[in-house]
Amino acid sequence: MSLSREQVEHIAHLARLELTEDELERYRQQLSAILDYAARLQTLDTNGIPPTASVLPPRSVLRPDEPRAGLSREALLRNAPQVENGQFRVPPVLE
């Protein structure tokens, strides 16, 4: 699929690019080659290939999730600016 010079100028205009004559021709050839390659890929039969999110084997970099005791209420509220009835006191938000 070969792009015309006008199509490349339109793409450059959309991208807000000012291209020289040499750049217009170079990008026309490069974009045409990319579109030709994409068209070739579309002809491949991929029916027997399962969808793949990654070519790398799945592995977890996270540690195993193990339950453990949390902080006490007193420890949590120790550094709170305001506490009321064992809870954080925050200013009201009214619109």
Side-chain angles (χ1 to χ4, degrees), residues 11-29:
I11 293 168
H13 174 73
L14 292 175
R16 307 292 190 257
L17 298 174
E18 292 183 18
L19 302 177
T20 65
E21 295 297 322
D22 292 338
E23 290 172 329
L24 281 171
E25 180 58 28
R26 183 172 11 142
Y27 292 140
R28 186 192 68 74
Q29 292 173 358

Side-chain angles (χ1 to χ4, degrees), residues 38-71:
R40 284 179 44 205
L41 291 176
Q42 290 295 322
T43 63
L44 295 176
D45 180 21
T46 58
N47 289 332
I49 301 173
T52 305
S54 174
V55 295
L56 301 174
R59 70 177 183 95
S60 177
V61 295
L62 303 176
R63 64 172 170 74
D65 191 16
E66 299 170 355
R68 57 184 172 180
L71 297 174

Side-chain angles (χ1 to χ4, degrees), residues 72-91:
S72 67
R73 181 180 293 190
E74 292 76 26
L76 287 171
L77 296 174
R78 187 174 302 132
N79 292 321
Q82 292 182 332
V83 177
E84 184 177 308
N85 297 328
Q87 300 175 0
F88 292 103
R89 170 119 171 101
V90 295

